[in-house]
Amino acid sequence: QTGAYGMVSPNMGLRALREEPILVYGDGEQSRCFSAVSDVVRGALLLADSQAAKGEIFNIGTDEEITVARLAERVREKCGSASTIEFVPYEQIYGRSFEDMRRRVPNLNKILRFVGYRPALGLDQLFSARVMWLECSIRRGTLSGADSHANMPRPVNRRLVMVSPKNTRAGSLRMRISMPAARHWLCRTCCTSS
């Protein structure tokens, strides 16, 4: 998620670290699930390697649900912030015709049944990684704009290994992704790369 597109998690974290009010749109009771990219990539690769999954449709992500209001509280706690939480009516941001889905939670039963997929990272781990990255970025001065994360570093230890063309399906290129220490690349890359 990047704050440049109004994504809730990085915007809340940045505001909390700056001791600015954390904005929650609507009443905050809408629920969401936040997934680690490493989990989604792992799920996609498990499916790509499964003959039984061919032609099927799957949800990939996490089913760990949280309301946006509770997310704001947890981000504030993780940041050790004294920021207030302010509720902003949707109409003020999006106009009168805006409608939001109250609940977005994927059903992961099918992907579990087909390839044994379950997310490895929980919300606390994701929040900790986000806060560490934001703190590093603020120290280094690599954030541009109030809520922009366009300069987010990419993992330097990532390796993409292409599988030989004889192993491709339907003319598409298959690849395996190896991300050593994927759980911690976010902050480590930010704090150690030039």
Side-chain angles (χ1 to χ4, degrees), residues 34 36 38-39 42 62 64 118-123 125-126 182-183:
F34 297 89
S38 59
D39 281 336
R42 183 175 49 81
T62 184
E64 187 177 353
R118 288 293 309 155
L121 298 179
L123 282 174
Q125 293 162 307
L126 291 175
R183 291 187 175 117

Side-chain angles (χ1 to χ4, degrees), residues 140-152:
R140 293 181 66 214
T142 57
L143 292 178
S144 61
D147 294 326
S148 174
H149 298 272
N151 296 327
M152 185 172 170

Side-chain angles (χ1 to χ4, degrees), residues 3 16 60 78 86 101 118 129 141 154 162 164 176-177:
I60 304 176
K78 281 282 183 193
E86 293 183 8
M101 289 183 69
R118 288 293 309 155
R154 299 294 171 232
M162 296 185 302
S164 66
R176 294 194 182 277
I177 300 174

Side-chain angles (χ1 to χ4, degrees), residues 28-33 65-68 101-105:
E29 291 306 307
Q30 61 275 36
S31 67
R32 301 292 183 264
C33 298
E65 182 177 11
I66 188 169
T67 66
V68 176
M101 289 183 69
R102 298 299 287 173
R103 187 168 187 253
R104 294 182 187 169
V105 182

Side-chain angles (χ1 to χ4, degrees), residues 1-186:
Q1 288 193 342
T2 67
Y5 300 104
M7 302 303 263
V8 69
S9 176
N11 284 336
M12 286 181 176
L14 186 57
R15 288 179 162 277
L17 288 171
R18 291 181 174 168
E19 300 291 340
E20 298 172 356
I22 298 170
L23 304 179
V24 173
Y25 299 141
D27 63 7
E29 291 306 307
Q30 61 275 36
S31 67
R32 301 292 183 264
C33 298
F34 297 89
S35 302
V37 171
S38 59
D39 281 336
V40 174
V41 169
R42 183 175 49 81
L45 291 173
L46 286 169
L47 292 169
D49 287 338
S50 169
Q51 284 298 320
K54 186 175 181 179
E56 296 286 337
I57 298 172
F58 296 88
N59 292 321
I60 304 176
T62 184
D63 51 7
E64 187 177 353
E65 182 177 11
I66 188 169
T67 66
V68 176
R70 180 66 185 126
L71 173 69
E73 293 168 3
R74 285 180 64 182
V75 167
R76 182 174 60 185
E77 291 164 10
K78 281 282 183 193
C79 292
S81 176
S83 291
T84 59
I85 297 174
E86 293 183 8
F87 293 85
V88 181
Y90 284 127
E91 298 81 31
Q92 187 176 328
I93 305 300
Y94 302 111
R96 290 190 174 272
S97 63
F98 181 79
E99 292 183 32
D100 191 15
M101 289 183 69
R102 298 299 287 173
R103 187 168 187 253
R104 294 182 187 169
V105 182
N107 183 325
L108 301 177
N109 291 334
K110 185 175 178 182
I111 192 169
L112 174 64
R113 197 171 62 250
F114 272 72
V115 295
Y117 170 86
R118 288 293 309 155
L121 298 179
L123 282 174
D124 283 333
Q125 293 162 307
L126 291 175
F127 293 162
S128 294
R130 170 60 67 188
V131 170
M132 286 189 295
W133 181 81
L134 286 169
E135 287 172 337
C136 290
S137 297
I138 289 169
R139 277 197 301 276
R140 293 181 66 214
T142 57
L143 292 178
S144 61
D147 294 326
S148 174
H149 298 272
N151 296 327
M152 185 172 170
R154 299 294 171 232
V156 292
N157 292 331
R158 183 173 61 185
R159 256 189 352 249
L160 297 181
V161 181
M162 296 185 302
V163 178
S164 66
K166 68 181 179 182
N167 292 331
T168 61
R169 282 183 245 158
S172 64
L173 182 64
R174 287 181 55 210
M175 60 183 79
R176 294 194 182 277
I177 300 174
S178 172
M179 291 184 271
R183 291 187 175 117
H184 304 291
W185 74 261
L186 201 59

